[in-house]
Amino acid sequence: MSSTEPRRTALDALHRSLGATMTDFAGWDMPLRYGSERDEHNAVRTKAGLFDLSHMGEIAVLGPAAAALLDHALVGNIGGVKPGRARYTMICREDGGILDDLIVYRLGDTEYLVVANASNAQVVLDALVERSDGFDAEVRDDRDAYALLAVQGPESAGILASLTDADLEGLKYYAGLPGTVAGVPALVARTGYTGEDGFELFVKPEHAVELWQALTKAGEAAGLVPCGLSCRDTLRLEAGMPLYGNELSPSLTPFDAGLGRVVKFEKEGDFVGRTALAEAAERAAAVPPRVLVGLVAEGRRVPRAGYAVVAGGEVVGEVTSGAPSPTLGRPIAMAYVDAAHAAPGTEGVGVDIRGSHEPYEVVALPFYKRQK
């Protein structure tokens, strides 16, 4: 197979049998949609959706100094995560620029699972290996050891409960525990990227098809549908969740992205980027950088990443993500705008869409928050 050939997940043949529209995403052939992306989006908001996320990058960090290594390599306090819990964090360069945002699961006292974005998995792996020098810990590429399925939506807990004896009620948000789902050994995690309650199931690739089929059957009466990456993007946009390559990049620090809370200066020991990030925190406190805000269209034209945000004839920001919102019924966008125009309700803000300044309302993120 040539290096230009996209990788295929263990569910590839199944996606094609379901009539999925496939697309190359970060070097993987992935389902974009199976039918209507609006229907898939609405199913996740009101019932449940089933996703193949096997393109995500799993990296195991093991050994007596695993916690110390991760505390040095990442900006979060990973040593403080209890076994069975997970944490959202970031890995930064020495200059504070974001290499990737991550979820780290603590599987045991000396065992962690780091989950990176597909497009950055190799970069994160290389950085962790390089930063492991001098630590009594092993960094292992586990990308081929896992398939990853996600069940998201208000009906997800009920669907999963019918297939597992794992304690789902006791499983908090951002936690994970080993269990068996439809007879398949899995790491069951209550995490997701849709703004809904839901679960991510890490299993061996050879078990992916039988698990997908069991979930499909169990979810039939509840309205579960297969979902592609297209609705995953509109769901995360409505939930105000950043996407690497759009809202996050090496040219931004976590403080520039409004996510300074993930940087834990109080943890013991030095960590990569600490000095630069402390300076970035001071800058952000003194002169607020551009602020990540929500924009809701007054008209029907859809903004796209890279479009200029304007006010009074001046460029005051840039759209990072934009799409029609099935839930709001109007186009929405996330954008970095100058602090002077970032307050919700700020008037006179527009987006330059092919030379026409379309009016937009500035709103606080997220656009959508589920009812608990």
Side-chain angles (χ1 to χ4, degrees):
M1 194 167 86
S2 77
S3 58
T4 54
E5 195 79 11
R7 296 182 69 180
R8 297 184 170 190
T9 78
L11 293 159
D12 183 78
L14 192 147
H15 297 316
R16 292 168 196 277
S17 75
L18 293 171
T21 300
M22 306 296 285
T23 188
D24 184 341
F25 182 83
W28 288 82
D29 218 5
M30 297 297 294
L32 190 62
R33 71 182 74 81
Y34 297 85
S36 154
E37 53 205 50
R38 176 182 289 268
D39 289 349
E40 292 171 25
H41 178 110
N42 290 335
V44 175
R45 285 277 177 260
T46 59
K47 294 166 185 165
L50 179 57
F51 296 83
D52 177 12
L53 305 178
S54 303
H55 61 311
M56 299 297 280
E58 294 88 5
I59 302 161
V61 180
L62 319 152
L69 163 58
L70 289 170
D71 276 340
H72 163 71
L74 311 180
V75 301
N77 179 4
I78 308 304
V81 178
K82 292 183 169 64
R85 299 306 303 265
R87 183 149 299 167
Y88 175 79
T89 187
M90 294 183 182
I91 182 167
C92 290
R93 303 190 304 196
E94 198 66 70
D95 67 1
I98 303 166
L99 282 175
D100 201 14
D101 62 336
L102 312 164
I103 295 180
V104 180
Y105 299 90
R106 187 167 194 170
L107 304 181
D109 287 339
T110 60
E111 185 181 359
Y112 294 81
L113 180 66
V114 176
V115 182
N117 285 296
S119 53
N120 295 330
Q122 191 63 48
V123 169
V124 173
L125 177 68
D126 292 346
L128 287 175
V129 168
E130 187 184 319
R131 295 173 190 189
S132 69
D133 199 32
F135 288 90
D136 186 7
E138 177 195 355
V139 176
R140 188 176 71 207
D141 182 356
D142 267 4
R143 283 176 287 181
D144 292 335
Y146 290 103
L148 177 56
L149 280 63
V151 190
Q152 297 281 305
E155 299 289 339
S156 57
I159 293 166
L160 199 56
S162 72
L163 295 173
T164 183
D165 55 4
D167 178 18
L168 298 184
E169 283 199 14
L171 187 65
K172 296 184 173 73
Y173 187 51
Y174 264 70
L177 82 175
T180 303
V181 182
V184 170
L187 170 64
V188 181
R190 199 165 206 154
T191 43
Y193 194 52
T194 62
E196 297 298 336
D197 188 18
F199 301 86
E200 295 184 328
L201 308 170
F202 295 84
V203 299
K204 288 183 176 174
E206 57 264 33
H207 293 148
V209 170
E210 63 180 293
L211 182 56
W212 179 284
Q213 290 171 336
L215 288 163
T216 299
K217 191 174 175 190
E220 212 168 2
L224 175 86
V225 301
C227 293
L229 293 183
S230 187
C231 83
R232 183 169 150 89
D233 193 49
T234 52
L235 289 159
R236 71 92 196 165
L237 176 55
E238 287 184 352
M241 294 176 168
L243 175 65
Y244 196 91
N246 291 50
E247 287 73 40
L248 308 175
S249 74
S251 63
L252 296 171
T253 72
F255 294 94
D256 297 323
L259 291 165
R261 65 181 181 275
V262 305
V263 182
K264 303 300 182 188
F265 292 115
E266 69 276 14
K267 65 179 174 175
E268 281 181 35
D270 196 13
F271 61 90
V272 177
R274 183 184 193 118
T275 303
L277 288 166
E279 290 168 3
E282 279 180 32
R283 279 197 309 273
V287 183
R290 282 185 165 178
V291 180
L292 188 63
V293 301
L295 298 174
V296 179
E298 292 180 20
R300 311 301 307 171
R301 298 186 73 185
V302 178
R304 299 295 180 193
Y307 285 11
V309 179
V310 291
E314 301 286 318
V315 174
V316 297
E318 185 177 311
V319 170
T320 53
S321 296
S325 163
T327 305
L328 275 62
R330 291 198 281 171
I332 59 172
M334 285 202 275
Y336 283 110
V337 302
D338 294 346
H341 297 89
T346 301
E347 294 185 354
V349 172
V351 175
D352 186 339
I353 301 181
R354 299 187 189 88
S356 169
H357 290 187
E358 301 289 326
Y360 272 74
E361 180 190 353
V362 180
V363 300
L365 292 169
F367 301 97
Y368 166 85
K369 209 165 192 175
R370 72 183 171 95
Q371 302 302 307
K372 296 286 190 222

